[in-house]
Each structure stands twice: as C-alpha cells, then as structure tokens.
Amino acid sequence: MNWLIKVDARFPEIDKNFNADNRAMYDNKIRKELLINLEKERLELLDLNYEPSQDWWGSKITKD
C-alpha cells in the first residue's frame, strides 16, 4: 500500500449517484428485451432460406 501512495495512485471511490434499483431495471431490460431481440435476429440470419437484401449492411450498390 505504501508504494501506491508513493506513486500517487488513485483509489476507487463510492459512486454517490449510483442507484441499485435503476441498475436492476436496466439489467432486466437488457435480459428481457435486448437479448431476446438479438437472438431472434441471429436465428433469422442463420436460417437456411435467408437471403440478404440488395444493400446488405447498408452498402452502396455498384453498377459495374
């Protein structure tokens, strides 16, 4: 610990603005909404009959 003080290291501090209830709601939203939607998209992409659109990934269509 003395070495950390000598090198003027910064120590973690308690976040006074942290709200455990808000964090729990955020975590729930991620688990129940975002991850479920991402899984649906993943399954669509891996479907054997999946065909990407002409502008896949928003790419510009070139005229060769």
Side-chain angles (χ1 to χ4, degrees):
M1 180 90 152
N2 291 335
W3 178 77
L4 292 174
I5 294 170
K6 285 180 186 177
V7 296
D8 198 27
R10 294 178 49 184
F11 294 94
E13 298 176 3
I14 294 175
D15 184 357
K16 295 174 181 145
N17 296 322
F18 178 75
N19 184 317
D21 293 333
N22 286 348
R23 180 59 195 211
M25 287 174 32
Y26 173 76
D27 290 344
N28 256 348
K29 182 178 179 180
I30 296 293
R31 267 188 248 111
K32 299 204 181 208
E33 293 177 25
L34 180 66
L35 293 179
I36 289 172
N37 290 338
L38 286 173
E39 180 64 12
K40 285 179 188 174
E41 287 179 24
R42 184 188 72 84
L43 290 174
E44 286 176 17
L45 291 171
L46 296 176
D47 187 344
L48 292 175
N49 298 320
Y50 179 77
E51 290 188 33
S53 62
Q54 289 288 347
D55 62 345
W56 179 247
W57 292 102
S59 301
K60 294 180 181 177
I61 299 173
T62 59
K63 296 179 184 175
D64 294 330

